[in-house]
Amino acid sequence: MNELSIFRDNYRDYVFGLDFSLGDVFNFGDMFYDYSLSFAGGEFNLFIYDVVLDHYGMPMRDVLSERLFIFVDF
């Protein structure tokens, strides 16, 4: 399963039901992918990052793996 399929299956119904009126950015994810969702200009911007382990074994966002998906209608 790819990162967009995981978002669709596990998170889509929940995050699109949140209140974006304040221009908030919602961050969520699991041990494989980290998601950042915002709403601006009538579009939802979904940034997806891989999760890697730092030198202590703690998960962190790999900013070098950023992918952007733009949703106008879902």
Side-chain angles (χ1 to χ4, degrees):
M1 231 201 277
N2 69 16
E3 65 271 13
L4 202 53
S5 297
I6 292 171
F7 170 77
R8 183 186 64 234
D9 294 342
N10 297 335
Y11 303 110
R12 182 184 63 184
D13 293 335
Y14 169 70
V15 295
F16 286 126
L18 297 173
D19 181 17
F20 286 88
S21 63
L22 299 176
D24 293 330
V25 175
F26 294 99
N27 296 299
F28 52 95
D30 54 27
M31 288 296 293
F32 301 104
Y33 299 107
D34 193 27
Y35 301 92
S36 180
L37 182 68
S38 63
F39 182 74
E43 298 176 341
F44 286 97
N45 297 313
L46 177 66
F47 290 90
I48 302 176
Y49 306 89
D50 292 332
V51 171
V52 295
L53 300 178
D54 68 6
H55 59 284
Y56 294 111
M58 297 296 294
M60 62 182 247
R61 177 184 283 182
D62 180 7
V63 295
L64 299 176
S65 68
E66 178 183 87
R67 290 166 308 281
L68 170 63
F69 295 91
I70 299 173
F71 299 95
V72 177
D73 185 22
F74 59 90

